[in-house]
Amino acid sequence: MVVTAVPEEDRELAELAARAAALRERIEQANYEYYVLDSPSLSDAEYDRLFRELVELEQRYPELRTADSPTQRVGAPPQSAFPKHVHAVPMLSLANAFSDEELRAWEERLVRLAGEDVRKAGYSAELKIDGVAVSLVYEGGVLVKGATRGDGTVGEDVTPNIRTIKDVPLRLRGESLPARLEVRGEVYYPFALFERMNEELALRGERIFSNPRNAAAGSLRLLDSAVTATRPLRFFAYGIAVAPGERLPVDRQSEVLELLEEWGCPVAPYRQRCSDLAEVVRWVQRIETEVRPQLDFAIDGVVIKVDSLPLQEDLGVVGGREPRWAIARKFAPDIAETRLLDIRVNVGRTGVLNPYAVLEPVEIGGATVSYATLHNEALVLAKDLRIGDLVQVKRAGEVIPQVIAPVSDRRTGSERRWSMPRNCPVCAAPVVRREDEVAWYCPNEECPGRRLESLVHFASADAMDIRGLGEARVRQLVEAGLVRDVSDFYVLTPEQLQELEGFGRRSAEQLVAAIAASRTQPLSRLLFALGIPHVGSVTAALLARHFGTLDRLMEASESEIASVHGVGDVIARSVSEYFAAPRNRSLVERLRVMGLTLEEPGGVPGGGALRGKTVVITGTLPTLSRQEATALVERHGGRVADSVSRRTSFVVAGEAAGSKLAKARELGIEVIDEAELLRRVSEPESEHDVQ
Ligand code: IVH
């Protein structure tokens, strides 16, 4: 090293520059852990502190600011228009296949063009994210530009907006990176956050977005990137474009995805290297029926790519637009049009009033839809839905059907506007709205509508699971004056039931037996069945396992409850308030007298072969369903998490395990199979632990 005399100020500036660089690296590492790995290592407070320090440094010394600084994620000054961006490598679109036959025809064409080698090369099958295509230009590993697809040749330079997307790496993590490369991918808007944004927009009387794709496109094309920064956009990478002549260190598309992950880019979960088209077809089927309904982002199909990159090059592009080597297998449409016959309101067990649509029955994706949720009053008004409208209805997998929008140009003038009734439709109590909430409530705790819903919930399959005690029966029991609260179920006699319409001797005895059998349900189910606000089945299981008995939970302080892993302050307060109320304490006493199990088997602290373990389950296990495997882990004291992080104890991987398995390997986390899981939970020491 050459040592020269450095003026004092320069030395100081060099030190500050080093500090700024260290801050940038730490903050970006924290972003990566939080948004890509789903495994934060910094507390929010510490993150904020580091971030503020960097902002102040850069404000005082603007020369220290860099293009890859995380401070650039908060947005730049508004622009008046987007500059044009010419893509170095064109952004292609895809041909579609709407059936398996069309997929086979595609393969036949490839074989005719490139010979039987195509079949041997295998395919990379990936989710087709329904968002907005973007190209991210990296030079020397640093993000220098982000552009939309435009017409495929020229797009819009939306760099300041792209920088606000938290999981877009501002700097890639690889070593031997090409000098310049473009990461291709899709910007999308997660479902849950989309609905929340629409609610907020509706509440402020602003225009809402009709779907997450439009929300992503709209947010990405805002001239004020500070507003984009408030939108929770996310990104998935699916390809790399390099200048002609440059080569990537891999020769398969499936390896491109791995490379992207190594560089720190988020890659969509679920992808599969398939050795032949039959495997592709099976995978598509699984994604459409099992995976799509559970995803928190929209997909409109699966993209199938010839896995070999040299073969892709041989196959080339048709008409400069669509590659021959890839095809989109689109899913059946999940939207249909039908008539909105009426808007009615249902009273939930917490008193919340839910408007729902009564529809002219219509078939969507193989099921008949007659009702759809309308969420809340603000959304009905923002969508300007009127009774009598022709409406677009969407049904996605298991999700409750939704009314997307009216077909306004088909109006006749006879449609009627709707607004939330000012009185509860069941008990006529004046409805109330809490500050900052969109929902209206019936405040009457004695409201028969609320009471009925609580009783139905208590008996439902995920709660006490009392067979034969559905909504109609519960209604009948309430109307006959036999049941007021859930403890009354347990004193019903076959003789009383036989007097009611529709009961014979056998069915009356069966129902009484089913109710009696529910006494042995574990505490976790009872806690969920009680309908404590904010306590879903997962929280109920956490509480039951942690405290072991209802008495211990009832004695616990709010802070003790909040200290349970996975239980937040809001839940803790709700639980604590619930058990402080005399009417709830007396209900518990009545249930105790009726002989209900107020304990969690295996939930006594210290027990369970998997106590304290965080387990991730991925892929298809040979004998256990996902639900069964989860229940097994939980029964032995473990916790099942959705994503792999450094805190994961081990991963149980089955067939076709995808990115979670890859991430586990990357982080060096133990991976076991189902057989090993079963062995672990049957080890003798666990027998001592489980009571
Ligand atoms: S490959 C071959 N892979 O679908 C070049 N595209 O109609 C085409 N898309 O706008 C891109 N997920 O942005 C590819 N896993 C995926 C994709 C995907 C979504 C979008 C893409 C493009 C459109 C093609």
Side-chain angles (χ1 to χ4, degrees):
M1 192 163 71
V2 184
V3 182
T4 48
V6 182
E8 188 61 25
E9 290 152 46
D10 285 6
R11 187 155 348 116
E12 199 183 321
L13 198 60
E15 273 169 19
L16 291 172
R19 176 66 186 154
L23 284 168
R24 278 196 287 270
E25 194 175 314
R26 187 69 196 94
I27 293 168
E28 275 308 276
Q29 175 66 21
N31 277 337
Y32 172 68
E33 288 166 355
Y34 187 93
Y35 290 101
V36 182
L37 299 183
D38 223 352
S39 162
S41 67
L42 272 190
S43 71
D44 289 358
E46 179 68 0
Y47 180 92
D48 291 344
R49 200 184 61 68
L50 297 175
F51 198 88
R52 264 200 312 278
E53 185 184 341
L54 182 60
V55 169
E56 280 165 19
L57 253 181
E58 290 181 346
Q59 269 167 358
R60 244 179 321 136
Y61 303 93
E63 63 268 40
L64 294 183
R65 198 169 288 158
T66 59
D68 64 345
S69 175
T71 57
Q72 302 305 300
R73 289 192 188 277
V74 297
Q79 292 174 278
S80 54
F82 295 113
K84 296 268 172 275
H85 170 80
V86 181
H87 299 296
V89 180
M91 291 186 76
L92 304 174
S93 62
L94 289 170
N96 292 324
F98 292 95
S99 65
D100 297 338
E101 284 65 49
E102 288 180 27
L103 265 191
R104 287 186 201 105
W106 169 68
E107 182 178 64
E108 289 307 321
R109 269 199 313 280
L110 296 184
V111 170
R112 275 201 301 278
L113 283 168
E116 285 295 326
D117 277 359
V118 171
R119 288 195 222 271
K120 290 187 214 114
Y123 299 100
S124 170
E126 304 163 19
L127 302 184
K128 186 171 187 304
I129 315 297
D130 193 9
V132 183
V134 293
S135 182
L136 311 180
V137 183
Y138 287 89
E139 281 176 2
V142 175
L143 175 71
V144 294
K145 193 156 283 181
T148 61
R149 177 172 177 276
D151 63 6
T153 310
V154 182
E156 284 176 319
D157 175 348
V158 289
T159 312
N161 293 354
I162 291 285
R163 285 214 173 95
T164 68
I165 303 173
K166 304 287 193 301
D167 53 357
V168 164
L170 299 176
R171 177 187 280 277
L172 298 176
R173 327 181 125 243
E175 263 133 52
S176 49
L177 294 165
R180 184 186 156 98
L181 64 98
E182 302 193 6
V183 171
R184 298 282 163 85
E186 202 83 355
V187 169
Y188 67 97
Y189 210 113
F191 277 137
L193 302 164
F194 165 73
E195 297 206 343
R196 198 175 313 155
M197 174 185 63
N198 258 357
E199 280 183 3
E200 281 169 16
L201 290 175
L203 207 57
R204 291 204 299 265
E206 291 179 34
R207 264 181 73 106
I208 58 167
F209 290 104
S210 57
N211 58 49
R213 209 198 74 78
N214 289 352
S219 305
L220 200 57
R221 297 191 66 258
L222 288 167
L223 289 165
D224 187 350
S225 55
V227 181
T228 308
T230 67
R231 304 273 167 88
L233 293 174
R234 302 296 287 262
F235 173 71
F236 280 135
Y238 55 67
I240 305 172
V242 288
E246 283 215 54
R247 292 232 137 260
L248 288 172
V250 295
D251 62 4
R252 291 183 171 280
Q253 165 64 15
S254 45
E255 294 165 353
V256 166
L257 298 177
E258 282 167 23
L259 196 59
L260 283 165
E261 274 190 336
E262 274 169 36
W263 289 349
C265 294
V267 174
Y270 300 100
R271 56 186 203 245
Q272 172 101 326
R273 211 195 90 79
C274 299
S275 50
D276 58 23
L277 206 65
E279 194 180 342
V280 169
V281 168
R282 282 199 300 276
W283 195 74
V284 170
Q285 164 78 16
R286 182 177 149 237
I287 296 298
E288 182 166 15
T289 55
E290 291 174 33
V291 175
R292 188 190 197 193
Q294 298 172 16
L295 293 175
D296 187 37
F297 50 87
I299 60 173
D300 57 346
V302 160
V303 184
I304 298 129
K305 302 174 184 171
V306 169
D307 203 28
S308 152
L309 298 184
L311 199 53
Q312 286 188 2
E313 213 165 305
D314 290 349
L315 286 163
V317 173
V318 200
R321 262 184 62 82
E322 289 169 1
R324 289 196 185 80
W325 46 264
I327 194 158
R329 169 71 168 91
K330 293 297 226 29
F331 293 148
D334 53 5
I335 292 184
E337 285 182 7
T338 188
R339 191 71 58 193
L340 175 60
L341 300 177
D342 197 7
I343 296 179
R344 292 190 200 150
V345 177
N346 176 49
V347 189
R349 62 193 151 87
T350 57
V352 68
L353 299 175
N354 304 113
Y356 65 95
V358 182
L359 303 166
E360 206 165 86
V362 60
E363 197 176 301
I364 314 175
T368 304
V369 174
S370 315
Y371 299 98
T373 175
L374 293 171
H375 299 286
N376 53 56
E377 182 190 36
L379 281 178
V380 176
L381 300 183
K383 290 176 182 172
D384 187 23
L385 294 175
R386 303 181 196 175
I387 297 167
D389 266 336
L390 192 66
V391 290
Q392 290 185 321
V393 180
K394 182 182 167 84
R395 174 184 163 268
E398 313 288 302
V399 190
I400 310 169
Q402 322 235 350
V403 175
I404 299 175
V407 188
S408 329
D409 56 7
R410 296 276 298 275
R411 280 192 177 141
T412 62
S414 62
E415 296 78 12
R416 280 185 296 123
R417 288 178 200 270
W418 172 90
S419 62
M420 185 63 85
R422 296 294 148 225
N423 295 85
C424 169
V426 179
C427 73
V431 301
V432 295
R433 183 148 78 169
R434 297 178 195 146
E435 214 178 315
D436 295 334
E437 275 194 43
V438 275
W440 288 91
Y441 290 85
C442 166
N444 174 12
E445 296 208 354
E446 299 292 320
C447 170
R450 289 181 59 171
R451 196 140 20 91
L452 179 75
E453 292 291 334
S454 314
L455 292 165
V456 172
H457 168 74
F458 184 84
S460 65
D462 290 339
M464 299 302 270
D465 194 18
I466 305 177
R467 256 219 215 133
L469 199 50
E471 172 153 359
R473 283 266 161 93
V474 172
R475 193 184 291 275
Q476 205 181 8
L477 295 172
V478 171
E479 281 169 6
L482 293 175
V483 170
R484 270 185 58 82
D485 71 36
V486 299
S487 67
D488 297 331
F489 286 139
Y490 294 93
V491 290
L492 289 171
T493 63
E495 293 70 34
Q496 284 173 320
L497 295 181
Q498 271 184 71
E499 305 209 338
L500 303 177
E501 205 184 308
F503 275 101
R505 195 171 64 88
R506 250 182 72 84
S507 57
E509 279 169 2
Q510 268 170 355
L511 183 55
V512 170
I515 293 171
S518 75
R519 287 190 170 97
T520 60
Q521 290 286 19
L523 176 61
S524 47
R525 277 182 176 264
L526 176 62
L527 276 180
F528 174 57
L530 287 175
I532 305 167
H534 302 292
V535 178
S537 53
V538 174
T539 305
L542 291 174
L543 291 171
R545 266 205 314 275
H546 184 90
F547 290 100
T549 69
L550 187 56
D551 287 329
R552 262 187 237 156
L553 172 61
M554 287 170 68
E555 283 160 19
S557 68
E558 191 177 316
S559 61
E560 252 174 279
I561 300 173
S563 72
V564 178
H565 188 87
V567 175
D569 291 346
V570 175
I571 298 174
R573 182 161 335 118
S574 177
V575 173
S576 172
E577 278 173 7
Y578 181 89
F579 288 117
R583 54 187 262 139
N584 296 330
R585 296 187 82 90
S586 79
L587 174 64
V588 168
E589 285 322 305
R590 286 200 300 284
L591 292 174
R592 191 194 305 277
V593 172
M594 306 293 167
L596 269 72
T597 306
L598 309 181
E599 288 183 5
E600 186 71 358
V604 181
L610 303 179
R611 176 147 300 275
K613 300 263 189 277
T614 300
V615 180
V616 172
I617 304 168
T618 179
T620 311
L621 302 182
T623 66
L624 295 171
S625 73
R626 184 62 60 96
Q627 229 173 4
E628 287 164 346
T630 302
L632 182 75
V633 168
E634 289 178 349
R635 223 168 29 246
H636 291 84
R639 194 170 76 84
V640 174
D642 278 337
S643 57
V644 177
S645 73
R646 283 178 213 287
R647 283 199 296 254
T648 306
S649 312
F650 58 84
V651 170
V652 185
E655 204 200 328
S659 60
K660 291 182 192 175
L661 179 58
K663 194 176 278 179
R665 298 237 158 94
E666 185 186 314
L667 297 178
I669 284 159
E670 186 186 18
V671 177
I672 65 168
D673 60 8
E674 181 191 282
E676 173 63 17
L677 173 70
L678 292 170
R679 198 187 59 70
R680 286 187 190 186
V681 297
S682 63
E683 269 177 358
E685 70 251 42
S686 71
E687 311 251 340
H688 303 303
D689 290 335
V690 180
Q691 313 239 316

